[in-house]
Amino acid sequence: MTTGAVSPRRADTRRNHERILAAALESLTTTGEVSFNTIARTAEVGVGTVYRHFPTPDALVLAVYRREVQHLVDVVPSLLEEHTPEQAFRVWTGHLARYMMTKRGLANALRTAPTSPKELFASASEAMRSAISTLLEANVQAGSVRADLDPLIVLRALGGLLYLSPSEDWQSQTERLTDLLWRGMRT
């Protein structure tokens, strides 16, 4: 195993991979479709590069889904460092709303994926439950929410985010839903 600086080619490969995932996320969020040509154009890479990273549309859809779920978990510590626990919860809810809209675009594609959707959704559910548990614990410690809150119930309450539409003012609707939920969670 070698150590040291990553070659520029590897760094470029990672950047291309991230740009492809971001372009696919945008496409799935806005149109629900996976067109390698459109994604390549948006990511500013060749269509062959998209196929090298993701040989099938299923592989790309699964990668986008996993990336979004992982982001929901990974963002929690930085949100708690940068914001008060309440603000971290609110910002995270905005991330969750975006994820929910993406998930809607992914739903049809995920049904045909070779990985069991049941396994995939169970894994995602557990990851989100872990993220919300961390946020709730921080808020309990800060004295801003009740200690008896069940993370699963809070996630289910946030299920209303599934009804948001990217073509509407989903950000303000997310804020209003979060405010309503927050009032019920306060100490």
Side-chain angles (χ1 to χ4, degrees):
M1 184 167 132
T2 62
T3 60
V6 175
S7 75
R9 183 172 179 177
R10 283 199 56 115
D12 186 51
T13 299
R14 282 195 304 268
R15 278 191 303 274
N16 285 346
H17 187 85
E18 282 304 308
R19 289 197 331 239
I20 292 166
L21 287 174
L25 172 63
E26 180 183 330
S27 178
L28 287 163
T29 302
T30 57
T31 68
E33 296 179 9
V34 178
S35 162
F36 277 28
N37 289 326
T38 302
I39 290 167
R41 195 170 30 259
T42 302
E44 299 177 346
V45 298
V47 72
T49 300
V50 177
Y51 277 105
R52 265 192 307 283
H53 285 265
F54 305 100
T56 66
D58 289 343
L60 179 56
V61 167
L62 289 171
V64 169
Y65 184 79
R66 287 184 179 117
R67 176 180 177 249
E68 288 301 292
V69 169
Q70 192 59 50
H71 173 71
L72 286 170
V73 174
D74 292 346
V75 75
V76 170
S78 63
L79 290 176
L80 288 168
E81 285 177 17
E82 297 169 18
H83 304 282
T84 66
E86 178 182 347
Q87 274 309 110
F89 178 86
R90 290 174 179 279
V91 172
W92 186 82
T93 302
H95 289 286
L96 181 62
R98 182 171 173 258
Y99 163 79
M100 295 283 200
M101 285 184 285
T102 303
K103 186 176 175 183
R104 188 177 325 144
L106 289 168
N108 288 335
L110 286 170
R111 281 190 202 107
T112 62
T115 301
S116 163
K118 187 176 181 179
E119 281 179 31
L120 195 60
F121 294 141
S123 172
S125 177
E126 186 54 40
M128 286 188 283
R129 190 174 183 176
S130 171
I132 198 75
S133 292
T134 302
L135 288 163
L136 289 176
E137 286 172 24
N139 276 285
V140 167
Q141 295 277 335
S144 51
V145 299
R146 299 188 331 262
D148 66 339
L149 295 171
D150 180 343
L152 183 58
I153 299 300
V154 174
L155 275 175
R156 287 180 177 157
L158 289 168
L161 296 172
L162 282 170
Y163 296 100
L164 298 177
S165 170
S167 64
E168 297 175 1
D169 183 14
W170 64 270
Q171 292 94 341
S172 108
Q173 292 176 14
T174 299
E175 288 173 18
R176 290 196 311 258
L177 179 65
T178 304
D179 286 340
L180 179 66
L181 179 59
W182 191 260
R183 283 187 215 118
M185 294 187 336
R186 283 191 306 211
T187 52

